[in-house]
């Protein structure tokens, strides 16, 4: 049973446009959410996170939106750059517990020059 | 500063052999996690260490898998009698632990291939 789902395995976007990556979760106990970026042969790199007490968090070109009622979050990248091309993983945790991350299966983002 | 390091970066082993994978967390991080990513899959939690507390082993797939963390720093993941389904990238992560520090920082991983 996948508790964190990324239903789009791939996404292509033109350079300069907005990239929107989506993530859904089923476990209502999750209260902290993170996005990671992964290049081939490297470990995931932390990008941005959001607590369940918020609905938006912004850091430069990256914004994460959380809709708790829909159990949905999204990562917006604007403007998209070719260097953003990577696999993006959504992850969730229960902050009060052991804090292990439950990951989605990832979305391959390709930003076309 | 130095990030999380893992060794070896690649390991090829024959079915039935034991392997040890090593992780050096970021200095000062009290929490350490092991995950694995099988081909075409997301990352799967294996085990968690926090300070001197007993580890959370709830993600270990079988009793062939074990891990230890010496001195609250370096960790070793051991897989006994390896099977082909153990082939995966094994990732270690560390975090400050406690308080409101939730972000985990990952090493580059060890790619294990069981032939």
């Amino acid at each position: 049973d996948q508790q964190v789902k990324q239903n789009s395995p791939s996404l292509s976007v033109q350079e300069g446009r907005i990239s929107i990556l989506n993530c859904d979760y089923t476990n209502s106990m999750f209260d902290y959410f993170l996005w990671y970026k992964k290049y081939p042969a490297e470990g995931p790199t932390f990008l941005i996170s959001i607590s369940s007490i918020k609905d938006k968090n912004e850091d430069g070109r990256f914004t994460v939106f959380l809709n708790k009622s829909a159990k949905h979050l999204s990562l917006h990248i604007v403007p998209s750059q070719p260097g953003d091309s990577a696999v993006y993983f959504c992850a969730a945790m229960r902050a009060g517990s052991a804090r292990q991350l439950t990951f989605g299966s990832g979305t391959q983002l390709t930003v076309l020059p | 500063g130095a990030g999380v390091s893992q060794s070896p970066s690649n390991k090829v082993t024959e079915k039935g052999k034991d392997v040890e994978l090593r992780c050096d967390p970021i200095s000062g991080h009290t929490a350490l996690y092991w995950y694995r990513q099988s081909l075409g899959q997301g990352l799967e939690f294996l085990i968690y260490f926090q300070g001197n507390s007993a580890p959370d082993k709830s993600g270990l797939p079988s009793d062939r898998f074990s891990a230890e963390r010496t001195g609250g720093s370096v960790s070793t993941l051991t897989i006994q009698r390896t099977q082909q389904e153990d082939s995966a990238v094994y990732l270690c992560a560390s975090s400050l632990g406690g308080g409101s520090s939730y972000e985990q920082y990952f090493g580059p991983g060890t790619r294990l291939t069981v032939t």
Side-chain angles (χ1 to χ4, degrees):
Chain A
D1 175 35
Q2 258 190 309
Q3 298 188 64
V4 178
K5 299 179 184 179
Q6 293 177 258
N7 291 319
S8 298
S10 63
L11 173 68
S12 291
V13 171
Q14 207 68 37
E15 180 180 5
R17 306 296 291 267
I18 185 170
S19 296
I20 300 176
L21 297 107
N22 293 302
C23 177
D24 297 291
Y25 62 97
T26 57
N27 189 339
S28 58
M29 300 297 289
F30 289 143
D31 53 10
Y32 200 81
F33 304 89
L34 306 90
W35 283 94
Y36 283 83
K37 177 170 73 172
K38 187 179 184 302
Y39 294 116
E42 295 183 11
T45 301
F46 169 72
L47 270 179
I48 192 169
S49 61
I50 188 166
S51 164
S52 60
I53 63 174
K54 296 184 176 181
D55 55 18
K56 176 182 175 181
N57 188 25
E58 190 172 355
D59 183 2
R61 296 186 298 114
F62 302 92
T63 303
V64 56
F65 295 92
L66 175 62
N67 182 334
K68 281 182 295 185
S69 61
K71 294 191 178 67
H72 177 84
L73 62 156
S74 61
L75 175 68
H76 292 209
I77 307 172
V78 56
S80 301
Q81 300 173 353
D84 296 331
S85 297
V87 177
Y88 288 77
F89 289 97
C90 168
M93 71 158 66
R94 294 174 58 183
S97 69
R99 302 183 180 180
Q100 64 262 35
L101 295 171
T102 300
F103 282 87
S105 54
T107 297
Q108 171 71 57
L109 173 66
T110 302
V111 180
L112 306 168
Chain B
V4 177
S5 61
Q6 292 185 245
S7 61
S9 54
N10 282 282
K11 177 72 177 178
V12 180
T13 189
E14 292 180 353
K15 177 182 172 181
K17 302 283 190 184
D18 298 352
V19 294
E20 283 189 354
L21 313 179
R22 177 188 168 103
C23 171
D24 282 273
I26 293 172
S27 178
H29 281 193
T30 61
L32 186 148
Y33 303 79
W34 282 97
Y35 296 85
R36 74 175 176 182
Q37 185 178 19
S38 304
L39 188 64
Q41 304 290 320
L43 284 81
E44 170 192 16
F45 165 74
L46 296 177
I47 188 169
Y48 159 66
F49 295 89
Q50 171 59 58
N52 295 321
S53 302
D56 177 347
K57 304 179 182 180
S58 60
L60 295 178
S62 80
D63 58 8
R64 297 185 295 105
F65 287 73
S66 63
E68 61 178 24
R69 188 178 185 193
T70 54
S73 181
V74 171
S75 177
T76 303
L77 177 69
T78 302
I79 309 173
Q80 296 178 310
R81 305 180 302 282
T82 52
Q83 303 295 312
Q84 287 185 331
E85 61 263 27
D86 300 334
S87 296
V89 176
Y90 288 82
L91 290 153
C92 175
S94 70
S95 71
L96 282 170
S100 60
S101 298
Y102 304 124
E103 291 78 21
Q104 296 178 22
Y105 298 88
F106 283 81
T110 294
R111 180 175 296 277
L112 175 66
T113 304
V114 182
T115 61

